[in-house]
Amino acid sequence: MVKLNMVKALNLALLQEMERDPDVLVLGEDVGVDGGVFRVTEDLHRTFGGKRVIDSPLAEAAIVGTAVGMALYGLKPVCEIQFSGFAFQCFHQIENHAARYRQRTQGRFHCQMVVRMPYGGGVRALEHHSESEEQFYAQVPGLKLVVPSGPRNARALLVSAIRDPDPVIFFEAKALYHAHKEEVPEETEALPIGQARVAQEGRDLTLIAYGAMVRVALEAAEVLRAEDGAEAEVIDLLTLSPLDRETLVGSVAKTGRAVVVHEAPRSFGPGAEIAASLMEGAFLALEAPIRRVAAVDVPWVGFAREKASVPDVPRVVAAARETLAF
Amino acid sequence: MPRTPLDLRLSVDHLSILDSDGNLDTALEPDIAAGDLKRMYRTMVLGRRLDERMVRLQRQGRIGTFAPIKGQEASQIGAVATLRREDWMVPSFRETAAMLWRGWPIEQLLAFFAGRLEGGRPAPDQRDLPITIPVATQLPHAVGLAYAAQYRGDDAVVMAFFGDGATSEGDFHEAMNFAGVWHVPVVLVCQNNQWAISVPIKKQTHSRTLAQKALAYGFPGIQVDGNDVLAVYAASREAVLRAQAGEGPTLIECVTYRLGVHTTADDPTKYRSEAEVREWERKDPLTRFGAYLEKKTLLEPGLEEELDAEIARAVAVFESLPPADPLTMFEHAYGELPAHLRAQRQEVGERLARTAPDPPAAGEPLPPPPMRGQRKTSRWSN
């Protein structure tokens, strides 16, 4: 075991997968000599050279577009988009092509590739550097969307994403990069994509979160236990697409109450799909309306006002109390 | 300090070998084996005949919308004829002749334009990408394929096709830039057919040529008479050899003309003159290549009838395909079907089983065939 933060844990996953498989390569802006603006690809350039750790020109569409071509040839590219706010410049390559090539060619070609991107607030950054845009990718058939919540699962899920035969969008919460360290095994480990984790068991209510919001949900659960004597179950989704409805429905069938927490704007966000899935799967068990604690539906708030929009512990606790009291 | 001109040594050639009056520049005439010349002409004529047949099939409601190639046969065949089987071909959506050369069966192309997923599947050993519809978005794929070939140490070359309109798209410029920086074995073939639906080349770019755009990205561009198959072949051959020798990308601008509609949903009389079309019909690539072959006594008698029969056989095969099984639409969404799609497949299967029509009773007359010129397929199939 080694104690690593999320940046180092992701770096370890890339290093070990590149050592294991010569078809894995990394491309993006500043990922080579500089090691990435968040240092996730640090030292890979020195270890594997510029042909495998490519400092690409500054052009998101061609980073993902050329990666599609590499994947069609049989390579396994891992792209880094510097911030998820810039990924709209490659969204068409992701939606029009990476997600569709298997279907378009009826299995003759497929895109085994990963597009990593940092997302979310909490780092006092400018516009396009703080938003949460996971809902766009969650809606695209043919993609998988993974959002780890800590160093160990980030490393194990990135390993799975690289080995997955389908294109995986890998969202890394910037707020978690240096937030805490965890024991991470030196030997490679992989976690299955599409499986949620019960982060904490409970019987009174289910808090559903992913990425940086898992920590918020866990802290809210602690407040509810201490101040209300309520036991909240906390589910860490880890994968948004495909969504692990079985785990969600199983939990809410038990607790009868659910609050979904996410940083993405509320309307048409992941919380809507989760609430609809719970209505379909656990309607008769529900004791209260499903609540969503999410960002407000405005284009951008700026970090000076971010705390009023991004969910925090008091907002989650308040929503949970209303749900429990319903 | 004086302003000093930089010596960039930038220039673009125009290449023409066999002009529309049949004049041949023997010094530039490429050395192409007789068998290859015959196959090139054969595929160009097949492309033209199939194109005409497909327009009728579309008007009859037997296939959907498609983009005819009429007039661009030389730009396509002159280019792909320089590829080996192990090289890659990346089409846009107006490359029927090139696809025929690369071995796509006619019945599969028909299936594609009849909206069937099976139409987009290349053969297991075929190094062709399928038709790509969003303009210019296939060009980064071509550059990525070429990077991968270089990375693996294969000597494969990648050839990608696109139109004049594509040169306005960001993906074109990003692909050109990456191709130049990475110095990859890619040949970018622009079929400048003068019209991007209704927008003429003059409104598309203020550049004098499209070929010169390569110079900004640090590699050669050449403009050729795109209706002169010998010129297209010579320029492509040179570009492919450069790529194989590790000398990087080339942009080829084929100056040609779309004699037909943009797609079967388009009416070009709204935006261009009959006189312009007549002028380009005089420069038809088939006429001059046919005359060239006649002088070499390489024209095959009865070729058109033979190709028409080949097309008729393929149409028969296409029309005898079993109906598309709706449930197969789930098969290739992912490598392994996730739980929610297994559930949706089951739901669709059950719905279809409930609503399946009874088979027609013996002796009951079949519904009438669609009228000639009828455009909609929905009423017929309903």
Side-chain angles (χ1 to χ4, degrees), chain B residues 65-352:
Chain B
T65 301
F66 85 102
I69 60 155
K70 188 177 178 183
Q72 300 179 212
E73 296 85 351
S75 293
Q76 297 180 25
I77 296 302
V80 277
T82 62
L83 295 182
R84 303 157 301 172
R85 193 157 171 79
E86 62 267 35
D87 295 325
W88 288 76
M89 200 273 282
V90 178
S92 65
F93 53 77
R94 198 189 301 285
E95 277 80 34
T96 312
M99 292 176 81
L100 290 168
W101 177 273
R102 293 286 292 178
W104 289 78
I106 296 170
E107 55 269 27
Q108 194 178 350
L109 295 176
L110 294 172
F112 179 89
F113 290 111
R116 295 182 65 136
L117 291 168
E118 303 83 340
R121 179 174 48 213
D125 60 340
Q126 194 179 358
R127 291 185 145 190
D128 286 26
L129 298 192
I131 286 173
T132 296
I133 296 174
V135 172
T137 60
Q138 76 279 17
L139 301 178
H141 307 164
V143 175
L145 284 169
Y147 187 93
Q150 203 172 55
Y151 179 82
R152 287 260 181 91
D154 302 340
D155 82 336
V157 170
V158 183
M159 178 180 282
F161 288 92
F162 54 102
D164 41 305
T167 65
S168 301
E169 289 276 11
D171 277 31
F172 164 77
H173 293 276
E174 293 193 18
M176 293 277 285
N177 188 41
F178 275 52
V181 172
W182 289 351
H183 205 64
V184 288
V186 69
V187 180
L188 300 157
V189 182
C190 178
Q191 298 187 75
N192 173 5
N193 70 11
Q194 314 302 323
W195 291 93
I197 306 192
S198 66
V199 176
I201 187 71
K202 276 190 178 153
K203 287 189 188 173
Q204 204 65 249
T205 179
H206 195 52
S207 299
R208 195 170 143 202
T209 68
L210 298 176
Q212 75 198 60
K213 292 176 190 282
L215 305 183
Y217 296 103
F219 57 87
I222 183 169
Q223 187 187 64
V224 302
D225 177 349
N227 286 5
D228 171 0
V229 74
L230 300 181
V232 177
Y233 183 93
S236 303
R237 176 102 186 112
E238 192 180 313
V240 165
L241 290 176
R242 284 188 70 246
Q244 277 172 8
E247 290 166 26
T250 307
L251 171 65
I252 301 173
E253 174 191 359
C254 300
V255 180
T256 181
Y257 193 77
R258 159 165 62 79
L259 287 173
V261 290
H262 160 68
T263 70
T264 46
D266 171 45
D267 172 15
T269 61
K270 202 167 170 207
Y271 52 80
R272 68 185 190 187
S273 71
E274 263 309 287
E276 182 186 295
V277 180
R278 292 286 93 78
E279 184 58 29
W280 278 93
E281 276 173 348
R282 271 198 345 98
K283 305 179 196 169
D284 192 315
L286 290 186
T287 318
R288 74 178 92 160
F289 193 32
Y292 172 80
L293 292 186
E294 193 165 24
K295 277 190 203 150
K296 291 185 178 280
T297 64
L298 290 174
L299 271 192
E300 297 172 80
L303 178 65
E304 297 205 347
E305 293 73 18
E306 197 187 312
L307 295 175
D308 285 347
E310 188 179 331
I311 292 167
R313 281 194 300 275
V315 171
V317 171
F318 156 66
E319 297 208 310
S320 66
L321 289 173
D325 174 4
L327 293 184
T328 55
M329 68 187 169
F330 291 101
E331 249 169 52
H332 299 290
Y334 288 92
E336 194 185 325
L337 207 59
H340 70 291
L341 283 186
R342 285 199 301 275
Q344 288 179 25
R345 183 172 63 182
Q346 189 179 343
E347 194 182 307
V348 173
E350 286 167 4
R351 169 158 50 81
L352 293 172

Side-chain angles (χ1 to χ4, degrees), chain A residues 22-25 27 50-52 54 56-57 59-63 65-66 68-70 72-75 92-93 96-97 101-109 140-144 165-166 241-242 245, chain B residues 88 117-118 120-132 134 137-138 140-141 143-145 147-152 154 156 171 174-175 177-178 181-182 328-329 332-336 338 340:
Chain A
D23 285 340
V24 177
L25 47 77
L27 72 160
K51 291 276 174 205
R52 275 188 86 185
I54 307 164
S56 76
E60 287 78 10
I63 290 170
T66 56
V68 167
M70 293 175 193
L72 296 173
Y73 204 95
L75 302 184
H92 68 291
Q93 283 292 346
N96 289 177
H97 297 304
Y101 241 102
R102 183 188 290 281
Q103 177 82 333
R104 181 180 300 147
T105 62
Q106 290 291 286
R108 166 68 178 87
F109 293 114
V140 178
L143 293 182
K144 294 181 178 177
D166 290 310
S241 174
R245 293 175 175 81
Chain B
W88 288 76
L117 291 168
E118 303 83 340
R121 179 174 48 213
D125 60 340
Q126 194 179 358
R127 291 185 145 190
D128 286 26
L129 298 192
I131 286 173
T132 296
T137 60
Q138 76 279 17
H141 307 164
V143 175
L145 284 169
Y147 187 93
Q150 203 172 55
Y151 179 82
R152 287 260 181 91
D154 302 340
D171 277 31
E174 293 193 18
N177 188 41
F178 275 52
V181 172
W182 289 351
T328 55
M329 68 187 169
H332 299 290
Y334 288 92
E336 194 185 325
H340 70 291

